[in-house]
Structures are given as C-alpha cells and as structure tokens.
Amino acid sequence: ERPPLLRIWRGGNFICRIHPPRSCDVPLQTSRCSVGEFRPPCGKRPPLLLFPWAPAGRKMDLIRETGRACIAMEAGCQLRTAELACGHAAAFRSVIASGPVKILGTLEEKCRGLEKIMVHATGTGDWTFSEETLRKVCVCELTAEEISCKEHL
C-alpha cells in the first residue's frame, strides 16, 4: 500500500496558497494551480515541488528576498452535512510543505518545469510553450525541508 502522502498527492489538482517564508499563518496569494513534480522522500533526496506564478508581486518579492516559502495545497474540499449542526464536517485532502525556493531562470529550465507541471495536471506530455509565455511566467522549485499531509474524507 502506498504511503498516505503519495495517495493524497496523486489525488489531482490542488488549490495552492503560497505563504510568507516567516510565517505560514497568512497566505500572500491564492490561485488554482497544479503543482508539478513530487519526488517522494527516499534516501537523502527531499521532495521537490514546482509551481508557476506571476514574476512580480509581494509574494515573489519575499521569495527573492528570503529564498524560502511555505506552500499549502488543498483538494476535494466539500461540506459533509448531517441532521445535527455538530455533525457537519469538511472533507478534504491537504499537503503543506516549506523550504528553500529556487526561481528557475533560463527559458530552458522554465520549459522543463512547465512540462512537468502539465504532465502532472493532465497526465499527458509533449507540451510546447512560446518564448513569450516563458518570459512572462515565473517557475519556482521548492525543496521541501518539512512536509505534512492530512486527509479527511
């Protein structure tokens, strides 16, 4: 049986929130995105998360300043109703990771990163990206020093 983290991760697209590196309490921006590659912890390789974002803004300013971020991802969020108010609950899957962030700089690096994200999001490869698109997007690579997950279905 797969570890819970991998089962949760392979559950599909997540709603992602990038948080300030100093605190995971207040999200800087919320967006629907599909986070690309996940390398499970094996040996000494930490998990790697790829995410695309706009190159300008408060979130990117903080990432550039500190080189760190925290990313919280949720999927499958649904309200489970009950006859009694106390019986209501939320169903969800979540992954939270924090660590150093590398901003991919070259067009080739961005293209490889976006390809991995698209394969994860769609299950298919062979994507192409125009040079204009690659110049407009920022692709970040978070190396998860800490990672946790939760599933409530």
Side-chain angles (χ1 to χ4, degrees), residues 103-126:
I103 300 170
L104 304 183
T106 69
L107 297 182
E108 185 178 285
E109 287 177 318
K110 289 180 181 184
C111 187
R112 279 197 310 266
L114 290 173
E115 285 171 352
K116 290 176 182 179
I117 291 168
M118 292 304 296
V119 166
H120 181 82
T122 67
T124 63
D126 202 28

Side-chain angles (χ1 to χ4, degrees), residues 12-26:
N13 293 338
F14 287 82
I15 295 173
C16 303
R17 291 177 181 83
I18 304 299
H19 297 263
R22 295 180 197 102
S23 165
C24 285
D25 295 336
V26 182

Side-chain angles (χ1 to χ4, degrees), residues 21-114:
R22 295 180 197 102
S23 165
C24 285
D25 295 336
V26 182
L28 287 171
Q29 183 174 351
T30 301
S31 175
R32 287 193 176 272
C33 68
S34 177
V35 176
E37 180 179 79
F38 172 74
R39 293 191 314 220
C42 58
K44 295 183 180 183
R45 270 184 12 180
L48 177 70
L49 305 172
L50 293 167
F51 57 95
W53 232 276
R58 191 167 55 127
K59 171 189 63 73
M60 289 308 301
D61 290 345
L62 280 171
I63 289 174
R64 284 185 180 99
E65 177 187 325
T66 64
R68 301 185 63 79
C70 175
I71 185 168
M73 301 163 279
E74 296 109 21
C77 298
Q78 294 180 335
L79 176 64
R80 301 283 186 214
T81 60
E83 288 187 32
L84 297 174
C86 295
H88 282 64
F92 64 90
R93 294 185 318 272
S94 69
V95 178
I96 298 175
S98 62
V101 174
K102 175 186 174 190
I103 300 170
L104 304 183
T106 69
L107 297 182
E108 185 178 285
E109 287 177 318
K110 289 180 181 184
C111 187
R112 279 197 310 266
L114 290 173

